Amino acid sequence: MRIEECEGVSASRKHLVFAYYVTGHGFGHATRVVEVVRNLILAGHDVHVVTGAPDFVFTSEIQSPRLFIRKVLLDCGAVQADALTVDRLASLEKYSETAVKPRESILATEIEWLNSIKADLVVSDVVPVACRAAADAGIRSVCVTNFSWDFIYAEYVMAAGNHHRSIVWQIAEDYSHCEFLIRLPGFCPMPAFRDVIDVPLVVRRLHKTRKEVRKELGISDDVKMVILNFGGQPSGWKLKEEYLPSGWLCLVCGASDSQELPPNFIKLAKDAYTPDLIAASDCMLGKIGYGTVSEALAFKLPFVFVRRDYFNEEPFLRNMLEYYQCGVEMIRRDLLTGHWKPYLEHAISLKPCYEGGINGGEVAAHILQETAIGKHYASDKFSGARRLRDAIVLGYQLQRVPGRDISIPEWYSSAENELNNSTGSPATQIIENGSLTSTCTGDFEILHGDLQGLPDTKSFLKSLAELDVYDPEKNTEKRQIRERKAAAGLFNWEEDIYVSRAPGRLDVMGGIADYSGSLVLQMPIKEACHVAVQKNHASKHRLWKHAQARQNAKGQGPTPVLQIVSYGSELSNRGPTFDMDLSDFMDGEMPISYDKAKKYFAQDPSQKWAAYVAGTILVLMTELGVRFQDSISMLVSSAVPEGKGVSSSASVEVASMSAIAAAHGLSISPRDIALLCQKVENHIVGAPCGVMDQMTSACGEANKLLAMVCQPAEVIGLVEIPSHIRFWGIDSGIRHSVGGADYGSVRIGAFMGRKMIKSIASSTLSRSLPSANGLILDELEDDSVNLIKAEASLDYLCNLSPHRYEALYAKMLPESILGETFLEKYIDHSDAVTVIDEKRTYVVRAPAKHPIYENFRVKAFKALLTSTSSDEQLTALGELLYQCHYSYGACGLGSDGTDRLVRLVQEMQHGKPSSSEDGTLYGAKITGGGSGGTVCVIGRNCLRSSQQILEIQHRYKGGTGYLPFIFEGSSPGSGKFGYLRIRRPLSRT
């Protein structure tokens, strides 16, 4: 339901009492509540506001005896580590302290209070427990918001650990008691509310005209003025006169009393009425929040914004800003270093075009009044349990990242349709829409390489060609305006462009045993990343305005610059562009250290993705001594979904390095590219992955399994997939990350186990410790002595056979060990890419056992693939997958979603239809780094198998609400693809 206009809130015959709960998350919620409360009071009602915000926020706008302020904080919102970063773990811990532990007493107190004031309606923006307290008191409740805390905290739980997930469930259950939701523009997915009324923007009214405000400030109308609306400024931040264009003035909100400002900066009083000041300014600089966005849109004020990390409602507000041509994104380092001028000058050239309603406060107040009287706006509602299930689905769904997803839930679609948004890269959508009607040869002359009939490569070239004629005014894909506009100015169409392609991979066997030296079997998938690279002399390079301003400020003339555009950033909170001076990679005559580079990219998490791309340049400089004299432009477009355990990061790294190498005439073998890309991920990104992902992306071939011994990366061959066998990947919807705590701790546990095994073997040799069988050295045969000597210097756990492990070491390894205890005895664990936390307890026995047995399973699997086709062959192959899956779980790397998918495969395998005829599906396992991601399934290559996979897909959706993406098909690795060198035909340029 949508209500656009309202003829005001007419006075009700009945005097009503409203209890209005306001979240403790900043002032933004309180300021919009003011406008709703003001209209309720104008209609003659009493409003009791429950808030932790200062009184002046309300009393400066409402002077009425009908306003009652009760200072109580019932939630905490998001805790910020600094002005631009949310601390996810601290947020959950504080919420637990504020709202979970004292929950019973909170409910008792609120129920008693609501009854004491005789509340007719409870309104919440958007305090969860208020809805439950209202229900227990027998009072109806309504929420007014653009986001809900189950949406915000669900992503935090994935980062902080599942032991916090009961917080999300409780919040969603509380919201399920709400009558309906009054939803504000720029909304996030909110599945806990199944009844929704959409209203216009809630915007505070103006008290003074632009002319009156400027007259009071003594600023003439022709002076350009920016308002710095930046509550909680970065610590130690010193504003400087040269930050502003000549002749500009800046109004500063929230400055401390002791903060000294340059003469062109004006400090505002803490209780200054910001709507009047915003409307009197020429643009605004600050952080995105509902208040700043709504007022920028309402007053048609260009808004220069800086992203906040893990501020999860921001992408939806940002999309709205950009859709109405009201937003300019500033890179964080430019904010902090004072490179403001190009952004401010660009902002005042915008023509904001929001024409929607701005009377949302009045409309919401009318709905609340009518509801309190007894009108039923809500339709037949689902049960609270159903709402709770939808909220749990959100926990799965939040792990989706823009990519090739075949289904978007209805609740998400509605949020996207509001702004005509969708997911995926342009190249991906062209493939899926089947609109590939012309070949790319008419757009580009291919000077080197072969398309190899790959439709995604044709599509990428088509999207590349369209940049030459890109017109943002005619672009119907509003979500792509920023990234496409940036990409349109990226290349010199008279020069050569180099294009590479690298696929993701499906981990068939091996997985996390790669870092322990196992044999692995990997299949390159159909989905791939494309990268286009062009080098230009610095004097001919087309720079973005802020990059040009940065160079001008240095006064050195044109110097080599790296500029990157990444497609598909619109619904994930990361910037679509990245740029840096290539000299930033140098420390004197030498490249900077990997540690410095890691810190460089980590300073702005919204641009941390650039480490995967730009990091390849630093690795080439460091490892091969390459020096880059020219500027570099890069366009990255990946159809490999992130967080699904199919090596999206490896495909980006391999495609990036391959394209850069081709553009600079570097001859690097696919194997060496893979090893170099592993350094990018291990040392610059900081993810402790093995090398199998990069090797498969670089060295794989279509419809074959890459067989590789990870010691460190020896390809022993390509294994043909028999024609009667097929592999699928089914995405669980639970985000996977090799940078996560679980993966890293299991890796540490494996390396601890290896160290202990070496120590036990050494002690046995030196007679300082009896063996597990009570033998002494003199009783051992020479061959046994040689074995123990080899085990005392064990390079890889996988070089230890399962029977030797069980005979001598299994009972000697502890189940787990405290990091501090281990370090005291063994000094270190001999792994360069992980660090032991002294205060953490690590599981040892299961992580050490897994790779030893997995290496054996992979060898058996490889041998079975070449055996005679039979049902027994497929059954044995499937059993090996199952064993691997449960071994992951023993290590602590399982997940509810992947376990559910494996059970569904088993049900298909052992169900009556399959048992009565030749089976079709035979086994399944979690893949890659585990803890979510994708499940690999093996079955017969037949129609019935495909039907069963689709049935599993729909049964999984029925149980979770999430429709998984299915990976099927294969494509060549980057080495087999090579590269394309392309150029516009003369007639087009």
Side-chain angles (χ1 to χ4, degrees):
M1 184 186 300
R2 176 178 292 278
I3 300 179
E4 294 288 357
E5 297 182 2
C6 179
E7 297 298 330
V9 186
S10 58
S12 171
R13 295 178 185 175
K14 181 180 179 183
H15 169 261
L16 300 170
V17 176
F18 294 86
Y20 211 133
Y21 287 81
V22 187
T23 187
H25 181 65
F27 285 0
H29 294 262
T31 56
R32 73 185 181 202
V33 165
V34 165
E35 189 60 19
V36 182
V37 170
R38 186 179 68 81
N39 280 280
L40 287 172
I41 288 175
L42 285 175
H45 307 305
D46 287 356
V47 183
H48 295 255
V49 177
V50 182
T51 180
D55 288 2
F56 76 80
V57 175
F58 300 92
T59 56
S60 61
E61 177 66 2
I62 305 171
Q63 295 86 38
S64 169
R66 294 189 179 278
L67 171 67
F68 303 87
I69 300 176
R70 177 171 168 243
K71 301 303 286 290
V72 177
L73 189 65
L74 298 179
D75 67 0
C76 62
V79 176
Q80 295 195 193
D82 56 48
L84 292 169
T85 305
V86 170
D87 188 325
R88 292 173 289 181
L89 179 58
S91 297
L92 292 170
E93 290 176 342
K94 187 171 181 181
Y95 186 85
S96 182
E97 292 295 326
T98 305
V100 177
K101 292 181 180 178
R103 178 177 174 82
E104 294 305 318
S105 64
I106 288 174
L107 283 171
T109 300
E110 295 311 303
I111 292 167
E112 181 181 358
W113 177 74
L114 288 171
N115 288 323
S116 72
I117 65 169
K118 296 180 171 57
D120 294 291
L121 186 71
V122 171
V123 189
S124 180
D125 184 356
V126 65
V127 180
V129 75
C131 302
R132 178 57 185 268
D136 289 353
I139 304 169
R140 298 165 74 190
S141 64
V142 175
C143 286
V144 184
T145 187
N146 65 304
F147 75 85
S148 56
W149 287 113
D150 54 337
F151 171 81
I152 303 301
Y153 287 157
E155 192 275 335
Y156 296 0
V157 167
M158 298 307 297
N162 284 343
H163 56 287
H164 290 287
R165 61 187 172 184
S166 60
I167 288 176
V168 175
W169 295 347
Q170 185 65 71
I171 290 173
E173 200 278 332
D174 283 347
Y175 287 147
S176 75
H177 295 284
C178 173
E179 188 84 11
F180 60 87
L181 166 68
I182 296 177
R183 189 168 62 179
L184 306 180
F187 56 83
C188 304
M190 292 181 280
F193 305 99
R194 303 306 295 180
D195 294 292
V196 173
I197 300 175
D198 288 305
V199 300
L201 286 173
V202 175
V203 182
R204 289 180 289 177
R205 61 176 179 163
L206 296 179
H207 294 168
K208 300 173 184 176
T209 65
R210 172 187 170 98
K211 187 175 181 179
E212 289 171 338
V213 171
R214 284 181 170 252
K215 183 177 180 180
E216 288 182 5
L217 293 171
I219 300 171
S220 61
D221 197 56
D222 60 335
V223 173
K224 295 298 180 187
M225 188 166 72
V226 56
I227 181 167
L228 181 62
N229 197 353
F230 211 106
Q233 296 176 19
S235 60
W237 196 25
K238 186 174 178 62
L239 299 170
K240 298 180 181 179
E241 186 173 356
E242 59 268 24
Y243 287 6
L244 300 178
S246 178
W248 280 55
L249 294 176
C250 179
L251 307 180
V252 182
C253 301
S256 65
D257 294 335
S258 60
Q259 186 175 1
E260 295 183 4
L261 298 179
N264 51 350
F265 286 76
I266 300 171
K267 187 182 301 185
L268 296 174
K270 291 191 183 304
D271 59 354
Y273 191 64
T274 53
D276 288 346
L277 295 161
I278 289 171
S281 299
D282 296 289
C283 65
M284 176 162 52
L285 171 58
K287 302 179 289 189
I288 283 181
Y290 183 85
T292 53
V293 169
S294 62
E295 288 167 359
L297 292 172
F299 307 142
K300 291 184 170 60
L301 186 77
F303 185 6
V304 180
F305 62 86
V306 181
R307 297 187 190 220
R308 284 189 269 185
D309 309 327
Y310 314 122
F311 192 68
N312 294 337
E313 64 270 40
E314 181 177 290
F316 301 88
L317 295 170
R318 186 177 70 244
N319 284 349
M320 187 164 65
L321 266 183
E322 293 169 353
Y323 181 83
Y324 293 112
Q325 301 176 42
C326 196
V328 175
E329 180 176 355
M330 178 184 284
I331 298 170
R332 180 181 302 192
R333 69 172 182 268
D334 286 344
L335 170 76
L336 300 177
T337 56
H339 292 291
W340 295 7
K341 295 178 184 178
Y343 299 98
L344 299 179
E345 289 168 348
H346 175 49
I348 61 173
S349 71
L350 296 180
K351 296 179 180 179
C353 58
Y354 181 78
E355 298 294 343
I358 59 173
N359 64 332
E362 182 181 326
V363 174
H366 174 76
I367 296 170
L368 294 173
Q369 174 184 278
E370 296 301 297
T371 302
I373 292 171
K375 181 173 180 178
H376 286 271
Y377 281 92
S379 60
D380 292 336
K381 302 191 301 296
F382 291 101
S383 68
R386 174 64 181 273
R387 292 178 178 181
L388 176 57
R389 196 194 78 175
D390 283 346
I392 295 171
V393 170
L394 177 61
Y396 286 99
Q397 197 61 32
L398 279 174
Q399 309 322 310
R400 288 176 62 259
V401 182
R404 293 195 57 189
D405 296 293
I406 59 177
S407 176
I408 299 175
E410 292 177 1
W411 55 262
Y412 207 98
S413 298
S414 62
E416 293 184 40
N417 292 337
E418 176 75 8
L419 300 178
N420 192 28
N421 289 324
S422 57
T423 61
S425 69
T428 296
Q429 292 185 343
I430 292 171
I431 292 173
E432 293 177 340
N433 294 337
S435 59
L436 194 61
T437 57
S438 63
T439 64
C440 61
T441 52
D443 299 315
F444 288 106
E445 181 182 359
I446 299 179
L447 305 175
H448 177 276
D450 182 2
L451 295 178
Q452 301 183 25
L454 293 164
D456 59 341
T457 302
K458 293 179 183 178
S459 180
F460 176 71
L461 293 187
K462 184 174 177 64
S463 70
L464 194 62
E466 289 170 350
L467 294 176
D468 190 19
V469 292
Y470 175 72
D471 183 355
E473 296 299 323
K474 297 179 180 178
N475 181 36
T476 57
E477 295 284 351
K478 293 292 186 181
R479 67 175 184 84
Q480 297 172 1
I481 286 179
R482 291 179 61 238
E483 59 188 35
R484 294 296 294 272
K485 189 174 181 180
L490 198 59
F491 298 115
N492 179 348
W493 299 108
E494 297 179 355
E495 301 294 334
D496 292 353
I497 297 174
Y498 295 79
V499 175
S500 64
R501 179 191 184 278
R505 66 96 187 96
L506 180 65
D507 167 34
V508 176
M509 287 294 286
I512 58 167
D514 62 342
Y515 53 68
S516 294
S518 179
L519 172 67
V520 298
L521 297 173
Q522 307 294 307
M523 184 180 81
I525 59 176
K526 181 173 61 178
E527 291 73 21
C529 173
H530 287 84
V531 173
V533 167
Q534 185 180 72
K535 63 174 184 175
N536 281 295
H537 189 274
S539 62
K540 297 180 180 179
H541 197 210
R542 300 170 65 181
L543 293 179
W544 295 321
K545 288 184 178 179
H546 63 272
Q548 183 67 61
R550 191 169 62 241
Q551 279 207 354
N552 293 343
K554 291 182 179 180
Q556 298 174 343
T559 55
V561 171
L562 170 65
Q563 294 187 150
I564 308 170
V565 176
S566 173
Y567 280 160
S569 64
E570 64 284 341
L571 282 184
S572 57
N573 199 16
R574 58 183 174 90
T577 63
F578 174 84
D579 65 274
M580 63 178 291
D581 295 339
L582 285 172
S583 59
D584 290 345
F585 273 153
M586 297 297 292
D587 185 3
E589 297 298 317
M590 298 297 293
I592 63 173
S593 68
Y594 289 150
D595 187 56
K596 283 186 178 179
K598 182 179 177 181
K599 293 176 181 176
Y600 177 88
F601 288 109
Q603 64 187 349
D604 185 352
S606 72
Q607 293 195 315
K608 189 177 179 180
W609 60 267
Y612 295 98
V613 183
T616 62
I617 293 175
L618 180 61
V619 168
L620 289 171
M621 294 169 65
T622 304
E623 305 299 328
L624 302 185
V626 180
R627 295 295 180 265
F628 296 92
Q629 306 301 324
D630 294 322
S631 290
I632 301 173
S633 298
M634 301 182 71
L635 174 63
V636 181
S637 178
S638 181
V640 184
E642 299 172 39
K644 300 189 185 302
V646 290
S647 301
S648 58
S649 59
S651 66
V652 170
E653 293 156 356
V654 171
S656 297
M657 186 172 288
S658 298
I660 290 168
H664 292 84
L666 304 175
S667 180
I668 310 174
S669 71
R671 177 183 181 275
D672 287 342
I673 278 187
L675 291 170
L676 291 169
C677 287
Q678 185 195 20
K679 291 184 180 294
V680 176
E681 187 131 6
N682 286 171
H683 302 299
I684 299 177
V685 175
C689 70
V691 74
M692 72 176 188
D693 299 356
Q694 290 82 4
M695 286 294 291
T696 309
S697 189
C699 304
E701 292 188 19
N703 301 310
K704 297 178 182 178
L705 299 181
L706 181 77
M708 179 181 69
V709 176
C710 301
Q711 300 189 18
E714 301 304 321
V715 175
I716 62 174
L718 293 159
V719 181
E720 291 277 357
I721 300 173
S723 59
H724 66 286
I725 292 177
R726 190 170 186 178
F727 296 101
W728 296 265
I730 307 179
D731 162 43
S732 67
I734 299 176
R735 185 173 174 81
H736 148 86
S737 171
V738 296
D742 291 339
Y743 177 91
S745 64
V746 170
R747 175 171 175 145
I748 289 172
F751 276 84
M752 284 178 165
R754 180 172 71 95
K755 190 87 170 195
M756 292 177 181
I757 287 170
K758 292 173 66 176
S759 177
I760 294 168
S762 297
S763 297
T764 301
L765 284 173
S766 64
R767 297 186 180 183
S768 63
L769 183 70
S771 75
N773 290 334
L775 301 176
I776 60 173
L777 189 61
D778 293 342
E779 297 172 336
L780 296 175
E781 299 291 337
D782 289 343
D783 289 343
S784 296
V785 171
N786 291 334
L787 280 173
I788 293 179
K789 285 182 177 179
E791 289 154 6
S793 58
L794 192 66
D795 288 335
Y796 296 96
L797 272 174
C798 291
N799 290 339
L800 180 64
S801 64
H803 78 271
R804 291 288 295 175
Y805 168 76
E806 293 294 346
L808 299 177
Y809 305 108
K811 295 178 182 179
M812 303 290 284
L813 293 183
E815 193 73 36
S816 61
I817 191 171
L818 184 67
E820 184 178 24
T821 304
F822 176 87
L823 292 172
E824 286 175 355
K825 184 172 183 179
Y826 298 100
I827 310 301
D828 65 60
H829 64 319
S830 303
D831 181 21
V833 298
T834 56
V835 177
I836 294 175
D837 181 349
E838 293 186 1
K839 303 303 180 184
R840 182 167 185 170
T841 297
Y842 294 92
V843 178
V844 174
R845 189 180 299 164
K849 178 181 178 179
H850 174 83
I852 294 168
Y853 277 84
E854 181 71 358
N855 187 48
F856 175 79
R857 287 190 289 263
V858 183
K859 289 178 178 179
F861 193 94
K862 180 174 178 289
L864 278 167
L865 280 175
T866 60
S867 66
T868 304
S869 172
S870 66
D871 194 61
E872 288 75 15
Q873 176 207 31
L874 283 162
T875 300
L877 288 168
E879 180 61 29
L880 290 170
L881 261 67
Y882 286 140
Q883 289 182 15
C884 172
H885 178 78
Y886 292 113
S887 185
Y888 262 75
C891 292
L893 292 176
S895 74
D896 293 342
T898 50
D899 286 347
R900 180 189 289 266
L901 284 170
V902 170
R903 286 197 303 272
L904 289 172
V905 171
Q906 291 172 348
E907 290 171 12
M908 287 291 175
Q909 179 183 0
H910 302 300
K912 288 184 180 179
S914 293
S915 300
S916 61
E917 55 187 64
D918 285 345
T920 55
L921 301 183
Y922 289 87
K925 63 176 277 288
I926 194 171
T927 62
S931 298
T934 295
V935 162
C936 173
V937 181
I938 187 172
R940 284 191 185 277
N941 187 11
C942 64
L943 178 60
R944 176 62 180 151
S945 295
S946 296
Q947 291 171 339
Q948 288 188 328
I949 292 293
L950 291 175
E951 188 174 343
I952 288 171
Q953 181 190 44
H954 288 283
R955 287 175 63 179
Y956 188 80
K957 182 185 180 183
T960 68
Y962 176 78
L963 184 69
F965 180 79
I966 295 175
F967 297 94
E968 54 184 334
S970 185
S971 67
S974 67
K976 196 72 174 176
F977 178 82
Y979 67 89
L980 302 178
R981 180 164 66 91
I982 61 175
R983 183 185 291 180
R984 279 288 199 197
L986 293 176
S987 60
R988 293 294 301 273
T989 57

